[in-house]
């Protein structure tokens, strides 16, 4: 199964532990799919892998803003 399918089949999305673990597995799958390209993986997490595959140069504003925000958080927590 692909990363999104694994995410969907994760179980109870309202259980915080299951939700975080499913999201983590989904992101790991996206990082593998995009060969470690964090921007592509995060864009796919936000906008969907199919959209990123079809239109990688046409990310919507919401997704571009999401990338900035997530990378800012990442920098703050890894500093």
């Amino acid at each position: 199964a692909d990363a999104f399918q694994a995410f969907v089949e994760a179980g109870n999305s309202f259980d915080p532990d299951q939700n975080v673990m499913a999201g983590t597995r989904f992101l790991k799958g996206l990082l593998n799919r995009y060969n470690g390209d964090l921007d592509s993986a995060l864009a796919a997490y936000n906008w969907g892998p199919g959209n990123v595959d079809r239109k990688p140069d046409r990310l919507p504003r919401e997704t571009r803003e999401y990338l900035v925000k997530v990378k800012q958080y990442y920098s703050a927590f890894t500093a």
Side-chain angles (χ1 to χ4, degrees), residues 70-79:
V70 170
K71 290 191 297 182
Q72 284 174 341
Y73 285 132
Y74 180 77
S75 293
F77 286 109
T78 58

Side-chain angles (χ1 to χ4, degrees), residues 1-2 5 7 11 14 20 23-25 30 34-35 37 40-42 45 47 53-54 67 69-70 79:
D2 68 6
Q5 188 68 28
F7 182 71
F14 294 104
V20 169
T24 302
R25 283 191 302 273
L30 293 171
Y34 296 105
N35 300 312
D37 181 338
S40 293
L42 290 173
Y45 190 92
W47 193 34
D53 291 347
R54 285 188 300 276
L67 292 176
K69 185 178 286 190
V70 170

Side-chain angles (χ1 to χ4, degrees), residues 1-2 5 9 19 21 27-28 46-47 57 60 67-68 74 79:
D2 68 6
Q5 188 68 28
E9 295 173 353
N19 187 294
M21 291 307 296
L27 184 57
K28 180 182 179 187
N46 180 259
W47 193 34
D57 56 336
L67 292 176
V68 170
Y74 180 77

